Amino acid sequence: MMAHKSSLFRRAALAIAVCAATVLAGTACGAPGAATDNEDWPTIAFLVPMDRNHEYGRNYVSSLRKAAEEHHVNAFVMNSNYDASVQASQMKIAIAKKVDGIVIWPALYGAEQPMLIQAQRAGIPVDISNSQPPEDLDTSLYHAFTGPNDQRIGELQGKELAKLLGGKGTYVYIGGTPGNAAAINRQIGLEREMANHPDVKLLGSQPGNFDKNQAQTAASSLISRFGNQIDALVTPDDIMASGAAQALDAAGMAGQVKLLGHNYAPVARTLLENGSMSTTLFQSPCWDSTHALTTMMDVLAGKDVPPVSYMPLPVVTKDNLDEFTPNGCLPEGYSEPATN
């Protein structure tokens, strides 16, 4: 695989095609900081779904480029902006480029299989990053999954919710984008955990589409419907939590309603510090992209890799927020407590 090299003409043609068809995550085509192209290094294509305005995605790609340089790997990054058809075209570009390996962060839950089949037929190994594939996906089509356990995220949020409410109360839920793997699995995990806490009742839910403004609108709507009945608000993303916090503040309910998020974005640190947020979970984009890279490197080296590698998900509160860097790496030597 690593012996695959294209001619200079073909590389130039493909580079022009990619610049015309897509946006390189985190950089503009040809701009400083774009992926290196060292002839002696293996090339791994990363198919990511988000645009450059996506905070977690920016940090994922930034950490990836740093790790790729350190490990002497060409990271060829393409962005689909959560469009499965665009990502399918990018898979064809990666195959035509004859990259050594492909890491795909799926743009749409359940849309992976045709792309994986194409890569397998081309003899190019694939790993899946960040968003878990459906349980019924043929595991022979890819080597490994690395990233967060999204259902576990929902479960941990449920445990924290029940703890904050003392096992009794009400909550509303602002979900992610319908059809998105993370949104689906985090909600499944939360619902599964809340079945263990029958005295904590869901009043209502609306999607926030992983967007601050839409989450603020959704929270305002839920507040209008349920008002002072709401004891807690749960959302699977800190950016949405920041929008919900603004809605709670506008309604005079800031600090009265328990607010739970996920990711430990910089805005979450501020919300934890001022008491607007009760708790969040830390998901490290640094761990996410670096493990995706090093796992594929092991695959290319012929090493056995675990079929699933989940990242730790520390619970962050006002009491321990200084232990973690928002959107950063996990502390060196960190291991998740067994109770989690």
Side-chain angles (χ1 to χ4, degrees):
M1 283 291 184
M2 292 189 187
H4 286 149
K5 301 294 177 184
S6 302
S7 68
L8 291 176
F9 176 80
R10 187 169 188 175
R11 284 180 183 275
L14 281 167
I16 293 170
V18 171
C19 283
T22 188
V23 176
L24 286 175
T27 64
C29 293
T36 57
D37 197 1
N38 190 309
E39 287 283 338
D40 297 326
W41 296 359
T43 296
I44 300 175
F46 284 79
L47 278 57
V48 299
M50 65 288 151
D51 63 26
R52 70 182 67 189
N53 294 320
H54 188 286
E55 188 173 89
Y56 185 91
R58 283 200 312 271
N59 285 282
Y60 179 103
V61 173
S62 175
S63 298
L64 167 64
R65 294 199 187 287
K66 181 179 179 181
E69 192 76 21
E70 291 173 351
H71 288 283
H72 293 178
V73 171
N74 295 313
F76 180 63
V77 184
M78 291 183 285
N79 177 323
S80 63
N81 197 21
Y82 287 103
D83 188 321
S85 63
V86 171
Q87 192 166 72
S89 297
Q90 292 169 347
M91 174 63 81
K92 293 177 181 178
I93 291 171
I95 292 171
K97 186 177 173 67
K98 297 184 178 179
V99 298
D100 299 295
I102 298 171
V103 175
I104 180 172
W105 173 346
L108 181 67
Y109 187 65
E112 305 94 336
Q113 184 164 313
M115 292 183 284
L116 297 177
I117 291 172
Q118 291 172 15
Q120 188 179 73
R121 288 173 177 169
I124 301 175
V126 180
D127 287 341
I128 298 176
S129 174
N130 185 272
S131 295
Q132 287 179 264
E135 292 181 358
D136 60 356
L137 181 66
D138 183 356
T139 56
S140 70
L141 294 174
Y142 63 99
H143 288 264
F145 167 77
T146 61
N149 182 337
D150 283 309
Q151 292 192 17
R152 182 63 173 155
I153 289 168
E155 290 176 358
L156 289 171
Q157 285 191 308
K159 291 179 186 295
E160 292 301 307
L161 173 62
K163 187 189 303 181
L164 287 166
L165 296 183
K168 186 174 182 178
T170 62
Y171 72 102
V172 292
Y173 186 73
I174 298 177
T177 304
N180 175 267
I184 292 169
N185 284 309
R186 291 175 194 179
Q187 188 164 355
I188 287 172
L190 177 64
E191 291 171 353
R192 183 164 57 212
E193 177 59 31
M194 297 322 294
N196 299 322
H197 309 281
D199 291 329
V200 179
K201 307 291 187 181
L202 174 66
L203 295 174
S205 65
Q206 285 189 210
N209 297 310
F210 293 116
D211 179 85
K212 178 182 177 180
N213 293 332
Q214 292 184 55
Q216 182 175 357
T217 299
S220 296
S221 175
L222 291 167
I223 291 168
S224 295
R225 287 174 60 193
F226 301 108
N228 291 331
Q229 297 179 58
I230 303 171
D231 294 319
L233 189 154
V234 184
T235 181
D237 172 80
D238 284 340
I239 303 304
M240 290 195 294
S242 68
Q246 290 185 347
L248 290 169
D249 185 56
M253 300 169 70
Q256 300 174 27
V257 173
K258 307 295 185 184
L259 179 61
L260 291 80
H262 170 73
N263 270 353
Y264 195 38
V267 68
R269 181 184 175 95
T270 300
L271 293 173
L272 288 167
E273 286 177 330
N274 67 26
S276 298
M277 176 179 275
S278 303
T279 185
T280 189
L281 303 174
F282 180 37
Q283 179 174 318
S284 168
C286 170
W287 189 105
D288 207 356
S289 60
T290 299
H291 276 70
L293 174 73
T294 56
T295 299
M296 178 51 74
M297 289 176 64
D298 285 344
V299 170
L300 295 178
K303 298 179 182 179
D304 290 331
V305 298
V308 175
S309 294
Y310 289 135
M311 70 167 69
L313 296 165
V315 176
V316 184
T317 67
K318 189 173 183 178
D319 295 332
N320 70 344
L321 56 81
D322 287 332
E323 297 176 21
F324 307 98
T325 302
N327 276 334
C329 298
L330 285 161
E332 188 172 353
Y334 177 86
S335 60
E336 195 167 37
T339 53
N340 278 357

